[in-house]
Amino acid sequence: NKLLTGIGYISYPILVLLILLNKQEYFFKSILIPAIGFLLLTFIRKGINRKRPYESLNIQPIIKKNKQGCSMPSRHVFSMTIIAVSWFILSPVIGSLLMIASILLGMIRVIGGVHYPSDVLVGFLSACLWSLLYFV
């Protein structure tokens, strides 16, 4: 969980720098699209305020978390997915590897007891749909 999340957060500033140097026409999009999407997703999940599996099912999560609610949709998966899609602009290979990492992260978050499968699926699909703004 921490390793995959870290890969996403390290790869994003590298992406923005490389876009600035190589594909300047995508520079503002590479900052605004993920940022606005993250903020919108945060607002939506606060409105939904779905309980997390460890709250509803009274289980001990493998991934330690003290947060209550805000399970739907997964921001971790949204962030990793939108970073992966963003990388496709420069490198389809790196974008594909990060997309695999996003899918693995979603699985780990479910197995870890902090999200339901629907939470990660909605986070993933939201990022894929929001990423279409790159091509508008």
Side-chain angles (χ1 to χ4, degrees):
N1 182 58
K2 287 183 181 182
L3 174 66
L4 291 173
T5 301
I7 288 170
Y9 292 133
I10 289 170
S11 69
Y12 181 66
I14 294 168
L15 167 74
V16 172
L17 178 63
L18 290 174
I19 285 178
L20 177 62
L21 297 173
N22 296 301
K23 293 210 180 231
Q24 292 176 348
E25 67 273 18
Y26 286 102
F27 179 70
F28 288 110
K29 283 185 175 185
S30 70
I31 294 171
L32 293 176
I33 291 171
I36 293 170
F38 185 85
L39 291 173
L40 285 171
L41 193 84
T42 298
F43 179 75
I44 290 167
R45 78 190 230 145
K46 284 184 188 260
I48 296 171
N49 199 25
R50 182 181 194 182
K51 288 185 177 184
R52 293 179 177 270
Y54 59 80
E55 295 176 86
S56 298
L57 304 174
N58 197 23
I59 59 171
Q60 193 67 13
I62 297 170
I63 298 171
K64 299 297 177 204
K65 199 159 190 81
N66 293 323
K67 188 170 184 159
Q68 302 294 311
C70 293
S71 180
M72 163 74 89
S74 170
R75 282 190 307 191
H76 277 82
V77 173
F78 175 88
S79 298
M80 183 63 106
T81 304
I82 205 156
I83 290 167
V85 173
S86 300
W87 264 98
F88 276 101
I89 294 166
L90 288 177
S91 171
V93 172
I94 294 174
S96 297
L97 292 173
L98 288 172
M99 192 62 75
I100 291 168
S102 176
I103 293 167
L104 289 173
L105 180 63
M107 293 168 56
I108 289 168
R109 307 279 299 164
V110 170
I111 293 167
V114 296
H115 283 294
Y116 292 100
S118 57
D119 299 340
V120 298
L121 182 61
V122 170
F124 181 83
L125 293 175
S126 296
C128 291
L129 288 173
W130 189 253
S131 296
L132 293 175
L133 291 174
Y134 273 114
F135 309 104
V136 174

